[in-house]
Amino acid sequence: MKVFLTPLMPFLLFVVLPDGTFSSDCPKHCSCSTPESILCFQRRSSTIPTGVPPSTKHLYLFANGIESLTPEGFSGLENLEMLDLSQNKIKELPDKVFGHLTSLRNLDLSSNQITHISEDCFKGMALLERLYLYSNHIKTIHPAAFNGLEQLLELKLQGNQLTSLPTLSMPRLLLLDLRFNVLPILGAADLQTPNLESLKLGGVGLISLDEKLIAGLSNLHDLDISGNQLKTFPPVLTEARGLIHLSLAGNPMGPLKVHDLQNLGELRELDISSLSLQGLPEEFSELFPHLKKLTIAENPFNCLCNLAWFPRWLRAQGITLERTQETRCHFPPRNAGKVLERLDHREFGCPTTTTVKTSTVKTSTSLSVPVTTVPSTTRAIAVPRPSENPKDKEVDFPLPPIPASPSSSSIDPEVDQHFCPSNTCLNGGTCRLDQHGHIECNCPHGTSGIYCELQGHHRPSPPEVEIPVATVTADTPDISTRHVTSTSILLDLHRYIEMRPYIRGIRLTYCNLSGPDRRPMQLNLPASYPEYRLRGLRPNSTYTVCASPMGAPSGIDSVCTEAQTTAQNSATEARIEDKTTMLVPAIAILLLVVLIATAVGVVCFLRRKRIKGHLDLDCEPSQLELEGVKAGLDNGQLPQKQPELMIPEPAVQNGNLEYEVLLLQDHCTSNNNMSSHKPSYF
C-alpha cells in the first residue's frame, strides 16, 4: 500500500488548497487563495484564461502576455469587482468589451500598448470608480469615451502621447494624473471636476497656469506642476490656500520671493528643486508651520552665513529633507560639493563674537578716530570710513581697542565686537554686519552684487595675493578642463577672462549628454575666478560646459567645451585584477569542500528517502491573501507586479508615481527536487 501512496503525495498536496478548495475550480496556471480571488501569473498566453468561476470578485491577470480581449471572454463574470490586466500586450479595446462586468469598480489597463480609446469601449460600466490607463501609447480619446462614468474617483493617464484632452465631466472625480503628455494649454472648460483633490500636471509643457482652472477647484489639496515651462511663479497659487502638497520643481521661474509663498501656510510637502536657487531667505522658516517634507535638490546654493539658519531649522521642526545627497553647496569654494544639511554652523563662515574691554579716554585733545561707548549696553564699536565714491553710504567698521590713558578714571562695561570672516566679500570689498547680524558687503566703485561679485568697466585694484595665471598661446582654447574625476571637473577660465576684460561676471551652463536628464544647469561666477570646479557630477558621463558673459543674451560670445568624467570603480577593478592570482588557490580549495559536502548531502538524502518512503514539506504552502490594491478594497497580500512605466526617470526619482503593487509572501521551503516557480517581481 505504501508503494502506491508515495507517488501520489505531492499531487494531493497541490490539488487540495489550505482552505479546502480543489484546484479543479481554478483556471489552469492560476492560484485561488480564496473562493472569490484568482491570481494568474507566468501563464504565457495571448488570451484571458477560461473556466473562471462566476463567484469571482477579484481577478489578477497582470504580466500574462495577453494580446487581445473579447466580450465573450468575460461572460458570466457579473460579480467581478476588480480586474487587473496591466503589463500585458493589449493594443486595442473593442467596443463594449467589458459590457458583462456590470459590477466592476476597479480596472487596471496600465503598461499595455493601447493607442486609442473609442466611444463605446467602457460602455455599461456605471459603477466604475478607478480607471488606470497610464504607460500606454494613447494618442487620441473619443470625446464621449468617458460618458456614463459618473462614479469615477480616480483617472490616471500619465505617460501617454496625448496632445489634446476631451472635456472631463466627472462630478465625483478626486484624482486626475495627466503627467508626461503634451498638453501645454489646459482651461477650466477641459476639467469639469468640482470635487477634484489631486491634480498632477508635471511635464506636460505648461506655459502658464490657467487662473480659472485652479480657482474652480476649491477642494484642491495636491498640485504637481513640475517640469513645465513656467517662467514666473503662478499668481493664482497665492489664492490656493488649501494646498497641502505642491511641486514646482524644474521650471525656469528663477528665485522665489517670500510674498509668493506667504499664503501657503497649510503646506506639508513642498518641492522646489531645480529652480536655480542660490539661497533661501530666513523668512522662509516662518511661512510653513506644518511642513513635514521639503525637496530643494539640484540648486546651486551659496552656503554662506545667510543660509546658516537652514540646517538648524530642519532639525528644530523635524522636517525631512528629501534627496539629501543631491542638495549640495556650489559656493564658496571651501563648501563646494558639501551636503547642505550636514554643514555645521561654523562652516557657513558666520562671524564669531569676541569680548573687548574699552576705556573712556578723558583728555582735552580730540582723537583722530572717535570712540563710541554706551555705559549699560553692549554694541559694536563703529567708526566712519571715507568712501571712494561720494554717493556711497558710510559703513561701520570694527575698531581695535584703545589703550587706557593714564588719566582714565572709569572703565565701561564689556562691549561685543563682531568680526566678518575673511574672504567673504570679493573684488576688494569689505564686509560689515547689519542690525540683524547679517553680512553686508561694501563694494568698491565699479563693482556690485551681494558679495561684490559683479564688476563694471572699471576693474578693481588687484588683490594682495597674486593668483598664478596659466601661460597661454594662440592655440589655447578660451576654456579648458583638467583634473577630471568621477564626480567633478576643474575648469580653466584664465584665457576666457584675459580675452574679455570688460565682463562683469561669467555665466556657466553645463549639462550631462550621457544621462537621462539633460536639463542644463546654470551658475554665475565673478570675473575674478580663473578656475572653478564643477561638483556632484555623474561618473562615466560626457558633459558639455559653456561660458558666456553674465548679463549678455543667451548664445552671445559663448564658448563651449566637453569633458568626460571617469568611471567610479576603475581603481577598484584594477586592484581586483592584481589579486586574482592570489584567489585561485583559495577558490580551488573552496570548490573541493563544496563537492565533498554535496556528496555527503546526497548520500544522506537517499538514506532518508529510503527510510521515509515519501517526500515531506517543511511547511504548508502559504495562502495568497488580497491586499488593498486600491483604496477601500480588501486587506491581504498578493504577488507584487513589476512596474513597467514608460515615464521619464525624474518622475520615478521623485517617488510621485502612484501605481499600486501587490506583495507575494510565500516562505514555504521543501526538501524535494521540484523547482519553485515563484515570479521574480519587483
Side-chain angles (χ1 to χ4, degrees):
M1 188 68 177
K2 187 178 295 184
V3 176
F4 291 98
L5 286 178
T6 300
L8 294 177
M9 285 299 296
F11 176 77
L12 291 176
L13 287 173
F14 284 96
V15 167
V16 182
L17 295 175
D19 61 356
T21 305
F22 283 87
S23 63
S24 59
D25 295 334
C26 267
K28 188 177 180 181
H29 302 301
C30 297
S31 174
C32 302
S33 60
T34 67
E36 298 179 348
S37 300
I38 296 178
L39 168 66
C40 305
F41 56 93
Q42 292 185 339
R43 288 179 57 248
R44 302 294 184 268
S45 175
S46 60
T47 59
I48 63 174
T50 57
V52 178
S55 61
T56 303
K57 290 186 177 181
H58 307 108
L59 180 58
Y60 298 91
L61 301 174
F62 57 85
N64 276 224
I66 298 174
E67 298 179 359
S68 60
L69 301 176
T70 60
E72 293 75 20
F74 301 107
S75 179
L77 299 180
E78 289 79 7
N79 294 318
L80 197 64
E81 297 179 1
M82 167 69 199
L83 176 60
D84 190 339
L85 290 166
S86 62
Q87 300 182 27
N88 285 291
K89 301 177 181 179
I90 303 170
K91 295 183 179 180
E92 63 176 335
L93 300 175
D95 291 344
K96 300 181 181 180
V97 64
F98 306 110
H100 295 288
L101 307 179
T102 54
S103 299
L104 197 66
R105 297 180 183 274
N106 304 280
L107 176 60
D108 191 344
L109 292 165
S110 62
S111 299
N112 279 281
Q113 302 171 18
I114 303 170
T115 59
H116 174 69
I117 303 298
S118 64
E119 179 180 3
D120 296 326
C121 62
F122 299 126
K123 209 74 171 180
M125 307 179 70
L127 300 181
L128 193 65
E129 295 179 350
R130 294 168 182 87
L131 177 59
Y132 296 166
L133 294 166
Y134 59 85
S135 293
N136 278 279
H137 307 308
I138 302 174
K139 296 181 179 180
T140 55
I141 300 177
H142 191 277
F146 300 132
N147 287 358
L149 303 182
E150 296 183 357
Q151 302 299 317
L152 204 63
L153 301 176
E154 298 180 10
L155 176 60
K156 297 187 178 182
L157 290 165
Q158 69 266 32
N160 283 288
Q161 302 173 21
L162 294 171
T163 56
S164 62
L165 193 69
T167 299
L168 300 180
S169 180
M170 300 175 180
R172 298 191 61 192
L173 193 68
L174 300 178
L175 183 148
L176 176 61
D177 196 335
L178 299 172
R179 289 173 296 169
F180 308 109
N181 288 282
V182 184
L183 302 168
I185 301 176
L186 280 176
D190 297 320
L191 304 184
Q192 298 179 12
T193 53
N195 292 310
L196 196 66
E197 295 182 354
S198 178
L199 177 60
K200 301 183 181 298
L201 299 175
V204 298
L206 285 177
I207 301 175
S208 62
L209 190 61
D210 189 88
E211 294 187 8
K212 293 182 179 180
L213 171 66
I214 302 300
L217 303 176
S218 57
N219 292 330
L220 191 63
H221 302 316
D222 182 2
L223 178 62
D224 180 1
I225 51 175
S226 61
N228 286 291
Q229 301 300 318
L230 301 174
K231 295 183 179 180
T232 58
F233 183 86
V236 67
L237 294 185
T238 59
E239 304 299 328
R241 301 177 185 270
L243 284 179
I244 297 177
H245 304 149
L246 175 62
S247 177
L248 302 169
N251 282 285
M253 63 177 59
L256 297 174
K257 299 178 177 61
V258 174
H259 65 80
D260 291 336
L261 306 172
Q262 62 185 0
N263 291 332
L264 300 176
E266 298 299 321
L267 281 181
R268 297 179 185 175
E269 296 184 16
L270 176 63
D271 188 349
I272 51 175
S273 54
S274 300
L275 293 184
S276 299
L277 302 178
Q278 296 184 5
L280 292 171
E282 192 166 357
E283 294 84 355
F284 186 89
S285 62
E286 303 174 0
L287 297 176
F288 311 111
H290 306 293
L291 197 64
K292 296 300 179 185
K293 291 184 179 180
L294 177 63
T295 308
I296 56 172
E298 298 183 5
N299 283 303
F301 286 112
N302 291 339
C303 295
L304 295 166
C305 188
N306 54 1
L307 198 57
W309 63 271
F310 183 73
R312 184 171 63 250
W313 172 66
L314 291 178
R315 292 188 292 269
Q317 299 297 324
I319 297 173
T320 301
L321 185 65
E322 302 288 337
R323 300 172 63 188
T324 304
Q325 292 296 329
E326 301 171 66
T327 309
R328 297 176 180 266
C329 303
H330 280 248
F331 184 85
R334 65 177 180 273
N335 288 335
K338 294 182 180 179
V339 177
L340 174 58
E341 186 184 24
R342 298 174 185 170
L343 286 184
D344 292 332
H345 187 270
R346 63 179 181 273
E347 294 181 89
F348 287 92
C350 291
T352 57
T353 302
T354 59
T355 301
V356 180
K357 292 185 177 180
T358 62
S359 302
T360 302
V361 181
K362 294 183 177 180
T363 176
S364 59
T365 58
S366 58
L367 295 175
S368 58
V369 181
V371 180
T372 303
T373 58
V374 180
S376 60
T377 59
T378 300
R379 62 186 296 271
I381 303 175
V383 297
R385 175 182 179 271
S387 173
E388 298 177 7
N389 189 344
K391 297 182 180 180
D392 292 343
K393 297 181 179 179
E394 292 184 350
V395 182
D396 294 340
F397 285 85
L399 179 69
I402 300 176
S405 170
S407 60
S408 299
S409 60
S410 63
I411 298 177
D412 287 345
E414 296 182 349
V415 178
D416 286 344
Q417 178 109 0
H418 299 274
F419 294 95
C420 290
S422 59
N423 300 325
T424 298
C425 301
L426 307 177
N427 298 319
T430 53
C431 70
R432 64 180 288 271
L433 299 180
D434 61 13
Q435 58 182 353
H436 301 291
H438 298 163
I439 289 178
E440 292 183 354
C441 289
N442 179 41
C443 301
H445 181 61
T447 64
S448 61
I450 299 177
Y451 305 103
C452 306
E453 71 274 16
L454 304 179
Q455 292 180 320
H457 297 287
H458 300 285
R459 302 280 291 180
S461 57
E464 296 179 2
V465 180
E466 294 184 358
I467 300 176
V469 180
T471 304
V472 296
T473 63
D475 297 331
T476 304
D478 284 2
I479 62 172
S480 58
T481 59
R482 54 192 179 90
H483 297 303
V484 178
T485 68
S486 60
T487 58
S488 67
I489 297 173
L490 181 61
L491 298 177
D492 188 344
L493 303 170
H494 285 91
R495 183 171 175 80
Y496 188 87
I497 297 173
E498 179 183 350
M499 299 298 293
R500 299 162 181 81
Y502 57 86
I503 61 175
R504 298 179 298 141
I506 302 173
R507 179 173 58 209
L508 286 181
T509 305
Y510 65 98
C511 64
N512 186 357
L513 302 179
S514 306
D517 187 0
R518 299 190 178 186
R519 290 177 295 181
M521 296 289 294
Q522 280 194 1
L523 297 172
N524 293 331
L525 301 180
S528 59
Y529 270 59
E531 293 182 351
Y532 187 80
R533 185 178 294 276
L534 299 176
R535 303 177 185 271
L537 308 181
R538 293 182 178 271
N540 197 24
S541 299
T542 301
Y543 281 83
T544 178
V545 184
C546 297
S548 59
M550 189 183 303
S554 179
I556 300 299
D557 198 11
S558 178
V559 180
C560 300
T561 186
E562 287 189 5
Q564 183 171 4
T565 54
T566 60
Q568 192 168 17
N569 58 348
S570 57
T572 305
E573 293 174 353
R575 289 195 296 269
I576 293 175
E577 291 177 358
D578 294 339
K579 297 180 180 179
T580 302
T581 55
M582 299 175 62
L583 294 176
V584 172
I587 294 175
I589 295 173
L590 180 61
L591 289 176
L592 180 60
V593 173
V594 172
L595 289 175
I596 294 174
T598 304
V600 173
V602 171
V603 172
C604 294
F605 173 78
L606 293 177
R607 288 181 179 178
R608 184 179 179 186
K609 181 176 180 181
R610 190 179 300 112
I611 293 173
K612 290 187 175 183
H614 64 278
L615 298 175
D616 290 336
L617 289 176
D618 295 336
C619 67
E620 294 184 0
S622 62
Q623 299 184 13
L624 294 176
E625 300 176 350
L626 288 177
E627 178 175 317
V629 181
K630 324 296 182 217
L633 296 184
D634 300 350
N635 295 325
Q637 293 177 339
L638 276 175
Q640 176 177 328
K641 60 184 179 182
Q642 180 179 2
E644 296 179 356
L645 298 178
M646 302 177 186
I647 291 180
E649 185 178 350
V652 179
Q653 290 179 347
N654 290 343
N656 292 329
L657 296 182
E658 281 149 4
Y659 54 89
E660 280 70 17
V661 293
L662 309 168
L663 302 175
L664 174 63
Q665 293 186 350
D666 190 355
H667 304 293
C668 179
T669 58
S670 64
N671 62 3
N672 58 23
N673 296 326
M674 298 181 63
S675 62
S676 176
H677 296 286
K678 296 179 182 179
S680 58
Y681 296 109
F682 174 76

